Amino acid sequence: DAGVIQSPRHEVTEMGQEVTLRCKPISGHNSLFWYRQTMMRGLELLIYFNNNVPIDDSGMPEDRFSAKMPNASFSTLKIQPSEPRDSAVYFCASSLWGLVRGFSSGANVLTFGAGSRLTVL
Amino acid sequence: EDQVTQSPEALRLQEGESSSLNCSYTVSGLRGLFWYRQDPGKGPEFLFTLYSAGEEKEKERLKATLTKKESFLHITAPKPEDSATYLCAVQNSGNTPLVFGKGTRLSVIA
């Protein structure tokens, strides 16, 4: 397996532009997580999906952020319009966790992608 | 609210100089405590899961231990290739997602 694949690896854009980050989770994993990492705040959970359904988006900073998971092999995180304070590294992670075949599973071992470094000028 | 505090923020060691990294946590029932390693420009990579106080796990020069309030990552005779940021995370018994600390940046100098 190629692991969790994120694109683009680097994105430089101007304030006000739309940014779309993409993630392909590990095949067979049923949970997907979007985290944001900054020096000041560390790794923060933005949103997570279980079986393609958004479960908790309370970490999404504001309405400018949205995420979708149309199928088990693809997710997007969109920022519209982007602002300089959105500059960070965005990570996607996947795991086999949550409701698995109707049963609540245990420890959540995440596999992370390499991240997308976003710079908003 | 679950919280994780790691110390020190940064640690510089000479090659072969053993030390420990600390992870203090507060959680409403612990399902698991996790250690990850993160190299520059990469995503965090899983190292260990600890489930209950008294548990220990080892991998090469690393040994993780767990008490009811904190976890330690002991590094024995480190090498320059051990240089990385080490992240600690907790998962509570309510089966919510991981909460991460800010990490300890370890530099091992030859």
Side-chain angles (χ1 to χ4, degrees), chain A residues 9 33 35 37 39-41 43 45 48 91 97 104-110 112-114, chain B residues 31 34 36 38 41-44 46 49 51 87 91 95-102 105:
Chain A
R9 290 295 316 278
F33 305 79
Y35 282 87
Q37 187 176 44
M39 287 293 291
M40 287 291 291
R41 301 174 69 90
L43 265 173
L45 179 67
Y48 77 97
F91 286 102
W97 180 71
S104 181
S105 62
N108 185 11
V109 179
L110 299 174
F112 282 83
Chain B
R31 182 177 289 274
F34 304 77
Y36 282 78
Q38 185 175 21
K42 296 187 178 180
F46 172 73
T49 307
Y51 295 98
L87 298 166
Q91 179 184 349
N95 220 20
T96 55
L98 270 59
V99 173
F100 282 85
K102 293 184 179 180
R105 293 189 310 278

Side-chain angles (χ1 to χ4, degrees), chain B residues 61-82:
Chain B
R61 294 175 293 282
L62 301 177
K63 182 170 79 171
T65 62
L66 181 65
T67 72
K68 288 187 177 180
K69 294 184 178 180
E70 57 192 350
S71 176
F72 292 94
L73 185 64
H74 307 277
I75 304 176
T76 302
K79 298 182 177 182
E81 53 261 41
D82 295 322

Side-chain angles (χ1 to χ4, degrees), chain B residues 17-38:
Chain B
E17 180 186 2
S18 301
S19 188
S20 296
L21 313 182
N22 177 263
C23 170
S24 298
Y25 65 91
T26 56
V27 66
S28 55
L30 181 69
R31 182 177 289 274
L33 183 139
F34 304 77
W35 283 97
Y36 282 78
R37 169 187 170 131
Q38 185 175 21

Side-chain angles (χ1 to χ4, degrees), chain A residues 3-117:
Chain A
V4 176
I5 300 173
Q6 291 187 244
S7 64
R9 290 295 316 278
H10 302 275
E11 175 91 7
V12 180
T13 190
E14 292 189 348
M15 182 174 63
Q17 296 298 305
E18 178 179 296
V19 174
T20 299
L21 307 179
R22 298 172 177 79
C23 176
K24 176 179 169 53
I26 289 175
S27 177
H29 281 185
N30 69 332
S31 295
L32 184 140
F33 305 79
W34 283 101
Y35 282 87
R36 178 171 67 177
Q37 187 176 44
T38 61
M39 287 293 291
M40 287 291 291
R41 301 174 69 90
L43 265 173
E44 300 175 283
L45 179 67
L46 299 177
I47 184 172
Y48 77 97
F49 297 82
N50 184 242
N51 296 313
N52 309 339
V53 176
I55 303 301
D56 184 355
D57 66 353
S58 60
M60 298 285 259
E62 40 196 282
D63 292 345
R64 298 184 296 106
F65 286 69
S66 62
K68 294 181 179 180
M69 191 165 186
N71 57 61
S73 59
F74 185 65
S75 177
T76 59
L77 178 68
K78 185 176 292 186
I79 308 172
Q80 167 62 18
S82 57
E83 296 184 2
R85 59 191 166 130
D86 301 331
S87 297
V89 182
Y90 291 80
F91 286 102
C92 175
S94 71
S95 66
L96 187 61
W97 180 71
L99 281 180
V100 181
R101 291 184 290 278
F103 293 92
S104 181
S105 62
N108 185 11
V109 179
L110 299 174
T111 301
F112 282 83
S116 294
R117 179 176 294 277

